[in-house]
Amino acid sequence: MPALRVLLLLRGAVGVLFALVVLLAPASTPVAQALGRNGLYALCDGLLALAVAFSLSKAARFHWLFVLALVDALIRLAIGAVALAYPDIEARILGSVAFVGGTVTACIALGAVGLIYVLAGRRAGQRGGAAAALFVSACTLLLGVGLLIGFGSAEARHLLIGLFALAVGLCLLVTGFRLKSSPAAFPI
């Protein structure tokens, strides 16, 4: 479990650092534009999420969480790869509609499925990892809904994504620290 703890702490720290840059730097600065447009954060987060998923697969107690973590990682990798391959995708109307529409759909679907999956797992007696998985699924669902209902300006999306990254990053940091003190209470 030490590798899982380190991965959770690393992923949480990357998320919090990204959120701080996004929230503290205006969207028009070159650093914020580079992080937001070229998908580096999504790609790095996706790779770290993939490592967390494979680390979860090695622990029988958390094996039920592996599928959700793997799907989450693959979606993050796909978003990062598309944004990296087409850094100015938001400037193109058709690309923007497809990319944002796909991202919104993925966030809403992943968040809803995550909530249902975790709640079903809790009823089946699989509680390891449920608290943080519920929180991250709810945040993902809220991100998708927020993007859908009117965060149309670049500044509003910038703020929403920064808050999402901060919430998930802090959740992962707390999870990593709790894993050391109480492996039975592991929340993602």
Side-chain angles (χ1 to χ4, degrees):
M1 290 302 238
L4 180 59
R5 179 175 185 264
V6 169
L7 288 169
L8 289 171
L9 291 171
L10 182 61
R11 186 170 176 217
V14 167
V16 169
L17 288 174
F18 171 76
L20 291 175
V21 169
V22 167
L23 293 173
L24 298 177
S28 58
T29 62
V31 172
Q33 286 181 349
L35 282 174
R37 283 196 179 155
N38 65 14
L40 283 178
Y41 168 70
L43 201 57
C44 289
D45 189 49
L47 289 171
L48 289 170
L50 193 60
V52 167
F54 285 119
S55 186
L56 284 171
S57 72
K58 294 177 183 178
R61 180 167 185 220
F62 307 118
H63 196 49
W64 71 279
L65 207 47
F66 167 72
V67 173
L68 183 62
L70 181 63
V71 170
D72 176 65
L74 294 175
I75 287 173
R76 291 174 192 276
L77 283 170
I79 290 170
V82 169
L84 190 61
Y86 304 102
D88 61 342
I89 195 165
E90 286 187 35
R92 298 182 192 137
I93 292 176
L94 184 57
S96 176
V97 170
F99 184 69
V100 173
T103 302
V104 167
T105 302
C107 287
I108 291 173
L110 184 62
V113 168
L115 288 171
I116 292 166
Y117 187 77
V118 173
L119 291 173
R122 286 188 76 161
R123 287 194 187 113
Q126 299 166 325
R127 294 199 171 147
L134 278 172
F135 181 78
V136 171
S137 293
C139 286
T140 304
L141 179 64
L142 289 174
L143 174 65
V145 170
L147 289 170
L148 180 68
I149 63 170
F151 285 92
S153 73
E155 285 292 326
R157 284 192 308 268
H158 191 79
L159 178 65
L160 184 65
I161 290 169
L163 292 173
F164 169 77
L166 182 63
V168 171
L170 289 174
C171 178
L172 292 171
L173 284 173
V174 168
T175 300
F177 286 123
R178 284 189 66 199
L179 185 61
K180 180 181 180 186
S181 63
S182 177
F186 168 62
I188 189 173

